[in-house]
Amino acid sequence: AHREIDVAEQAARIVGAAAGALFLRHTVIVHRHQELGIPLQTDDGELPQSNVDPAAFVSAAKLPSSLIATPSASEVEKYLRAWNDSETYRLQESALNKLFLELAPQNDRIENILIKAATLNDFYSTNIFSIYPVARHILSLDVDKRLQAHDLSLVSDISYVTFPNGKTKKLYSFATKYCSHHKPDVYPIYDDYINKILRYYRDVDGFSKFTNEMLLDYRSFHAILHDFQRFYKLEKYTLKEIDQYLWQLGKSNFPKKY
C-alpha cells in the first residue's frame, strides 16, 4: 500500500482490541490478494491522496460490448448470492464489521479513528499516503452524534482534508466508505464502478435526471440511488444491498486494466 505511516509509532497508540482487528485485517488481505490480486472496491478515478480527478467523470461511460440486463429483483438476488458465495468478499466484510461495529464503534478517540481509517485505506487501496492527518480531521467533526442523526453532510465534511504541506484534498470515496461502515443502510458507498453503472442506466432507461457532476455531491448521489430503487421497484432492498449489486455489475461490465 502506498502510505507514509510510521508503523511503530501507531502500534504504540493502538489498544488491544484494535490490535486484534489488525490481525483480522492482515489475514483477510493476504487471502484476498491470493484469490483476486486486486483490492475490493478500489478508489478508481481518484488521484494519489484520493484527490478526485474531474477528467475521470466528464465523458460518458463507455458502453460495454453487450447490453446489461435491466435491474430487477431476480438480478439483484443473483448478484447478492454471488457476493455471499465469495469467501473473499464475505470475510472482508465480516472483518470490517467486527472492527467498526464491535471493536471500535466510537469516534471520540484518535486511536479508534486511526485504526479504522488505516484499515479502510489498506483494504480499499484508497492511496492516502498520510493517514494521521485524516484521523485528526475526523476527530474534530463530532462524528458519532452526526452518524446517529443520519447527517449526510458528514460525508462532505470528512472528504476535505488539509495535509501538513498545506494542500487540501477531496477524499470523497474514502469518506463514503468511512460513514458506510458505521451505518451501512444509511450511507451508500460511492466509487467509480457505481458511477459508471448509474450513468449507463440513466442513458439507457432515464431512471433519473442528473449530471455526471451530481454523483460527486453526496446528497445528490444518495437521492439518485433512491430514484434507482423506485424506478426499478427495488425498494425492498437496503442501500447496502443495492451497493453490492451495482458494484459487482459495474465491475463486470466496466473492468479496469491493471
Side-chain angles (χ1 to χ4, degrees), residues 52-66:
V52 174
D53 179 5
F57 309 104
V58 171
S59 60
K62 279 189 175 181
L63 293 178
S65 56
S66 60

Side-chain angles (χ1 to χ4, degrees), residues 60-146:
K62 279 189 175 181
L63 293 178
S65 56
S66 60
L67 290 177
I68 306 174
T70 300
S72 65
S74 62
E75 282 293 302
V76 175
E77 292 292 342
K78 179 176 73 175
Y79 280 93
L80 292 181
R81 284 194 301 271
W83 184 282
N84 291 326
D85 288 344
S86 168
E87 186 179 30
T88 299
Y89 296 169
R90 191 175 66 253
L91 285 177
Q92 175 164 305
E93 196 75 25
S94 177
L96 288 172
N97 286 343
K98 189 173 185 67
L99 174 58
F100 276 78
L101 304 179
E102 297 178 29
L103 298 177
Q106 303 302 314
N107 294 277
D108 54 357
R109 297 181 61 185
I110 189 66
E111 295 91 346
N112 288 352
I113 298 171
L114 188 59
I115 191 61
K116 287 186 287 190
T119 301
L120 287 182
N121 190 41
D122 207 355
F123 264 30
Y124 289 105
S125 294
T126 50
N127 297 320
I128 302 173
F129 298 154
S130 182
I131 204 69
Y132 182 72
V134 178
R136 291 292 303 177
H137 172 63
I138 293 172
L139 182 64
S140 72
L141 295 176
D142 196 14
V143 167
D144 293 323
K145 181 178 178 180
R146 297 174 68 180

